[in-house]
């Protein structure tokens, strides 16, 4: 990996950290630079890079209350993750879509998406603070039993079903007309 590729990775992960800590100004600078770098040429596997940056952009948009921007970033991230032809990048999409779902009251879907992320990654990620936070919030919102059942439905999917289940557009198709709080 070349030095610019390594710097891109460091900046992308720093942007993740900045979003989670609420340092949105610096996160935006890092994201903007990363997106410019992607347009300037393909770094290390390009679709993986686009998935990472898109995932961070979706998190940034959610943090700033830009649900439309988050939805757009999720759609682009999903397309990049599919193009990567690798399941772990799709787990990033699943986690960000799980973060997006509660903004519309779709708590059960969020829990199922966390389960699908676990399937795509190959294991529950106990090291990711966002996954831990979403899990805690989901348990608080649904109760332990309902959260565990919903998570289990996502976790039990086979790989291809999990790929389909995490498509952000499915939320709109399935719940677009549903009242918030009933998904």
């Amino acid at each position: 990996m070349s030095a610019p590729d390594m710097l891109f990775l460091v900046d992308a992960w720093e942007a993740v950290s900045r979003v989670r800590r609420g340092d949105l100004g610096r996160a935006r600078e890092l994201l903007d630079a990363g997106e410019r770098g992607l347009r300037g040429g393909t770094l290390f596997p390009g679709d993986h890079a686009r998935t990472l940056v898109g995932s961070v952009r979706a998190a940034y948009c959610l943090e700033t209350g830009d649900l439309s921007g988050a939805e757009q970033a999720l759609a682009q991230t999903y397309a990049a993750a599919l193009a990567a032809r690798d399941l772990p990048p799709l787990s990033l999409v699943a986690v960000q879509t799980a973060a997006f779902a509660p903004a519309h009251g779709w708590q059960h879907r969020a829990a199922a998406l966390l389960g699908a992320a676990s399937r795509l990654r190959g294991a529950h990620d106990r090291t990711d603070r966002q996954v831990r936070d979403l899990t805690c919030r989901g348990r608080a919102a649904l109760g332990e039993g309902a959260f565990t059942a919903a998570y289990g439905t996502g976790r039990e999917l086979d790989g291809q079903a999990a790929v389909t289940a995490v498509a952000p557009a499915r939320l709109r198709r399935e719940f677009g007309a549903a009242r918030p709080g009933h998904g």
Side-chain angles (χ1 to χ4, degrees):
M1 184 178 284
S2 70
D5 293 351
M6 184 58 74
L7 288 175
F8 170 83
L9 270 179
V10 170
D11 285 349
W13 284 113
E14 182 181 349
V16 170
S17 174
R18 298 289 182 157
V19 167
R20 291 180 185 164
R21 289 190 320 224
D23 184 357
L24 300 178
R26 180 66 178 139
R28 182 178 182 141
E29 291 171 13
L30 291 163
L31 275 170
D32 291 347
E35 289 169 341
R36 278 191 306 276
L38 287 173
R39 286 190 300 271
T42 303
L43 303 169
F44 63 95
D47 295 317
H48 287 78
R50 280 185 274 290
T51 301
L52 176 58
V53 169
S55 172
V56 180
R57 176 62 70 185
Y60 173 84
C61 289
L62 281 173
E63 193 65 29
T64 61
D66 179 5
L67 297 182
S68 176
E71 193 167 12
Q72 181 180 8
L74 285 169
Q76 292 169 352
T77 303
Y78 183 70
L82 286 176
R85 303 177 56 88
D86 195 7
L87 294 181
L90 283 159
S91 71
L92 291 173
V93 177
V95 171
Q96 289 308 325
T97 306
F100 177 78
H104 294 287
W106 304 326
Q107 297 289 349
H108 284 91
R109 175 56 75 185
L113 286 163
L114 288 173
S118 171
R119 166 59 62 208
L120 293 165
R121 188 182 311 102
H124 182 75
D125 189 350
R126 299 183 195 305
T127 64
D128 185 321
R129 190 175 111 201
Q130 183 180 25
V131 171
R132 286 193 318 264
D133 291 348
L134 290 169
T135 299
C136 288
R137 282 185 271 176
R139 285 187 171 127
L142 298 173
E144 184 67 36
F147 177 86
T148 300
Y151 182 95
T153 62
R155 178 75 180 129
E156 292 169 6
L157 296 171
D158 65 40
Q160 188 54 50
V163 167
T164 302
V166 304
R170 282 190 65 158
L171 287 176
R172 280 281 167 231
R173 283 195 310 272
E174 293 178 10
F175 299 114
R179 291 189 343 250
H182 293 86

